[in-house]
Amino acid sequence: LRIAAPVSIISMIFIHAINEFCEKYPDIQLHIVQNNNVIDLIDEGVDVAIVGGTQPDSSWISSSLGVLNYGLFASPNYIASAAPFTHPSELDNHALIKVWPLFNWTLKHPSGENFYYDGPAKLTLSELNGAVRAAVDNGGILYGPALFVKNELNSGQLLSLLPEWIGEKRRISILYHQRSHQPLKVKLFIEFMHSKAEQLFSMESK
């Protein structure tokens, strides 16, 4: 079963569920292509793709697994030693960590005020695990999905900054071919991932 997915979401969020699937269905071998670039799913022979944001090809069937809620995060030590941070307009005064796929940051306040940041960053990465580690290591303010820093928030390694300012919501979907006779391995994987989706996208500690 060939699966295409972004690098970070497999290694940081889905890997435990992937292992569970392998244990449940030992006769199915998984080959996962972790790639942040858009690939031609047909040319690559992909059976199932996990994607964020808009669906790349309308000839595929899409179903939602969950939503990533973006926000601002930094370590307690960074905040203690950095300039005051009470409004997104003060981001220019801080070391910032940008990470794929949202290099420009959008924040909305319940009052109706919007803020958009497309300025420079101290550190720009293409993979979320490194970005999270940099933030924990007092590297600056990260704009990223709360789900990816759940454990760091619970342990106190990271703090949620300006939580009243809401970041983007990025939908994660599973794509598969429009086939009249869907292979059993594809059907089983899709059903399994949907059965795990609520748990995978929960902010509650395991």
Side-chain angles (χ1 to χ4, degrees), residues 46-196:
V46 171
D47 297 300
V48 176
I50 297 169
V51 300
T54 56
Q55 183 177 334
D57 188 338
S58 60
S59 68
W60 288 58
I61 299 172
S62 172
S63 59
S64 175
L65 290 174
V67 174
L68 299 178
N69 297 301
Y70 276 68
L72 298 169
F73 308 98
S75 69
N77 287 342
Y78 173 82
I79 292 300
S81 60
F85 186 55
T86 59
H87 189 275
S89 61
E90 297 167 340
L91 285 168
D92 284 327
N93 302 327
H94 288 267
L96 305 181
I97 302 169
K98 288 188 173 184
V99 62
W100 181 91
L102 300 182
F103 295 119
N104 298 327
W105 305 354
T106 300
L107 294 158
K108 296 182 180 180
H109 194 273
S111 66
E113 184 181 0
N114 295 328
F115 186 86
Y116 181 76
Y117 182 83
D118 61 355
K122 179 181 180 180
L123 182 63
T124 301
L125 302 100
S126 60
E127 189 268 326
L128 266 159
N129 184 54
V132 173
R133 299 279 67 80
V136 168
D137 200 31
N138 311 320
I141 296 175
L142 166 68
Y143 179 79
L147 183 66
F148 282 72
V149 295
K150 175 175 69 174
N151 293 334
E152 289 76 13
L153 290 172
N154 289 337
S155 67
Q157 291 177 289
L158 290 178
L159 301 174
S160 177
L161 308 180
L162 308 185
E164 68 277 15
W165 285 86
I166 307 301
E168 292 192 44
K169 295 181 181 296
R170 185 169 172 83
R171 184 169 298 281
I172 302 298
S173 301
I174 191 165
L175 307 183
Y176 51 96
H177 296 285
Q178 294 187 14
R179 291 173 176 166
S180 56
H181 299 289
Q182 192 179 82
L184 179 60
K185 62 185 179 181
V186 173
K187 184 174 183 290
L188 291 173
F189 183 78
I190 293 169
E191 290 177 349
F192 182 84
M193 293 305 293
H194 277 293
S195 75
K196 294 292 182 180

